[in-house]
């Protein structure tokens, strides 16, 4: 593994199907920050994220990690807030304090209340037959809350009519919901926002099927 901090261009340690890597890819794309991808396979050999070298990069042994400005940052939301604070172009947080709180609420419900319950390490622990029902249960429970929150915050996107960090979190979580065959019909606002963003260039370029480590049989 090369020392990514030596590179001038930010380097994102990413896995094509990781929803947390995907959030950060969207934010980087929206802000038009050029970056290189260093693919970390969460599958190969039991997971490259567990190798000694990568543990030095990210002690949680998860993706993403971002090497930027001579530093290594971990945790997708923390990375996205750093990008927002250091690269104010194309803001991904509203100006208004209440709207900022609403963006953080939606990010938090998804990044703490849904995704960690259905990520790879948890599903491995839950084991074989229970995986699908488990994921469906936690995603559905969380989406009920997201849909309710969106009913008072959404305009064209999650909070008002500008794309925010909440949208960066929502779209990858909808992908995971589909992957686990969650019935999305009870969530019309979530579905509408997902449709609104599916063809946005920054979201398309960040999509798992557009990633260099996406298996060729799945890549578009
Ligand atoms: O491709 C795979 O099968 C393995 C890993 C993932 O799905 C990524 C996750 O752990 C889920 C997530 O990011 O939400």
């Amino acid at each position: 593994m090369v020392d990514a901090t030596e590179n001038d261009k930010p380097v994102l340690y990413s896995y094509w199907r990781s929803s947390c890597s995907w959030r950060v890819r969207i934010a980087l794309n929206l802000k038009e920050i050029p970056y290189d991808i260093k693919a970390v396979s969460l599958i190969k050999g039991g997971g490259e994220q567990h190798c000694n070298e990568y543990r030095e990069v990210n002690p949680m042994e998860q993706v993403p990690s971002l090497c930027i400005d001579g530093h290594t940052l971990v945790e997708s939301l923390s990375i996205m807030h750093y990008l927002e604070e250091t690269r104010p172009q194309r803001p991904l947080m509203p100006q208004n304090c209440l709207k900022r709180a609403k963006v953080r609420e939606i990010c938090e419900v998804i990044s703490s209340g849904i995704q960690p319950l259905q990520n790879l390490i948890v599903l491995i622990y839950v084991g074989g037959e229970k995986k699908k029902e488990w994921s469906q249960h936690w995603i559905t429970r969380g989406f009920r809350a997201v849909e309710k929150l969106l009913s008072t915050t959404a305009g064209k996107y999650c909070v008002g009519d500008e794309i925010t960090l909440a949208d960066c979190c929502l779209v990858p979580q909808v992908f995971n919901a589909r992957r686990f065959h969650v019935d999305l019909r009870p969530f019309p606002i979530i579905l509408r926002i997902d449709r609104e963003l599916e063809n946005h260039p920054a979201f398309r370029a960040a999509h798992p099927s557009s990633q260099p480590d996406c298996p060729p049989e799945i890549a578009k």
Side-chain angles (χ1 to χ4, degrees):
M1 214 176 266
V2 295
D3 181 358
T5 54
E6 284 172 7
N7 203 326
D8 273 352
K9 220 197 248 184
V11 172
L12 181 69
Y13 291 88
S14 166
Y15 176 67
W16 66 287
R17 196 151 62 166
S18 144
S19 62
C20 305
S21 305
W22 184 356
R23 292 172 193 157
V24 175
R25 296 194 299 257
I26 298 169
L28 286 162
N29 293 349
L30 285 168
K31 287 184 173 289
E32 297 181 7
I33 303 166
Y35 63 99
D36 288 326
I37 291 231
K38 191 139 184 53
V40 178
S41 170
L42 303 186
I43 303 293
K44 208 160 73 188
E48 292 174 344
Q49 73 276 27
H50 302 304
C51 78
N52 290 340
E53 233 173 310
Y54 188 70
R55 198 179 301 117
E56 290 298 315
V57 176
N58 185 332
M60 278 296 277
E61 303 172 31
Q62 291 174 336
V63 284
S65 307
L66 183 69
C67 296
I68 188 166
D69 302 335
H71 304 286
T72 302
L73 302 176
V74 302
E75 291 297 328
S76 60
L77 276 188
S78 161
I79 293 171
M80 293 194 294
H81 282 292
Y82 178 82
L83 295 177
E84 182 65 6
E85 288 163 9
T86 57
R87 274 87 173 159
Q89 75 269 20
R90 180 59 189 89
L92 297 175
M93 287 294 282
Q95 287 293 312
N96 174 281
C97 286
L98 181 63
K99 285 189 172 171
R100 292 167 78 84
K102 291 288 162 190
V103 169
R104 290 195 197 98
E105 252 175 29
I106 293 165
C107 289
E108 194 76 36
V109 170
I110 295 171
S111 69
S112 305
I114 305 178
Q115 196 281 335
L117 293 161
Q118 53 91 96
N119 74 6
L120 182 66
I121 40 173
V122 170
L123 293 187
I124 289 171
Y125 195 78
V126 165
E129 283 177 13
K130 222 176 169 334
K131 275 185 193 173
K132 186 176 166 196
E133 189 247 304
W134 174 280
S135 315
Q136 287 179 343
H137 173 80
W138 295 110
I139 295 173
T140 303
R141 181 182 182 277
F143 269 10
R144 270 191 220 116
V146 173
E147 183 76 10
K148 176 98 177 127
L149 293 171
L150 291 175
S151 70
T152 62
T153 63
K156 191 171 179 193
Y157 304 115
C158 285
V159 179
D161 295 325
E162 304 294 334
I163 297 173
T164 64
L165 294 182
D167 300 291
C168 301
C169 291
L170 182 69
V171 168
Q173 190 60 59
V174 173
F175 176 93
N176 277 356
R178 291 203 174 98
R179 185 176 164 198
F180 294 114
H181 305 285
V182 170
D183 179 7
L184 291 172
R185 286 171 299 181
F187 311 118
I189 310 173
I190 292 176
L191 282 174
R192 175 180 63 71
I193 295 169
D194 183 62
R195 252 193 324 271
E196 195 73 59
L197 289 166
E198 71 183 349
N199 289 320
H200 188 295
F203 284 72
R204 281 183 74 99
H207 193 276
S209 63
S210 309
Q211 299 313 299
D213 55 331
C214 177
E217 65 275 14
I218 295 173
K220 274 178 203 151

